[in-house]
Amino acid sequence: MPKIPSALVASVGLVGGYGVARWSGRRELGGGVLALGGAAAAWQWRQRAGNKAAGALTAGYLVAFGVSHPLAKKVGAWPAVFGVTGAVALASWAVADRHG
């Protein structure tokens, strides 16, 4: 069975969390998707790159979520979500997926 890249899992958590919150009108549902995606990615990061890397990537995931809010006021919601998601995906690939 092929490995699912942690970059993809993290991306689905961020984009999916925002999408679910926006389209359902229920922020808590989006938060659930965000949390599940983050937890699944963190588990992969730990397995593939160790505890320190997983901690740093998880912190980056949370910071990206936080940064997307003020960034959305400047560039729009979807561009902000896609921008921070790209940064998290790139970091995830570089740290945990590249050598797998």
Side-chain angles (χ1 to χ4, degrees):
M1 182 174 193
K3 285 186 185 180
I4 297 172
S6 63
L8 177 61
V9 174
S11 296
V12 168
L14 288 164
V15 173
Y18 175 69
V20 167
R22 178 159 182 151
W23 291 315
S24 72
R26 301 200 46 199
R27 293 174 65 143
E28 67 275 10
L29 292 178
V33 172
L34 178 79
L36 285 173
W43 181 83
Q44 286 184 315
W45 293 328
R46 186 170 158 250
Q47 297 298 312
R48 296 176 186 175
N51 288 333
K52 285 184 182 180
L57 289 167
T58 300
Y61 183 89
L62 295 172
V63 167
F65 169 69
V67 167
S68 69
H69 290 81
L71 184 60
K73 293 179 186 210
K74 296 180 186 242
V75 299
W78 280 113
V81 170
F82 288 135
V84 300
T85 298
V88 169
L90 181 60
S92 181
W93 173 80
V95 173
D97 296 334
R98 180 173 44 158
H99 299 295

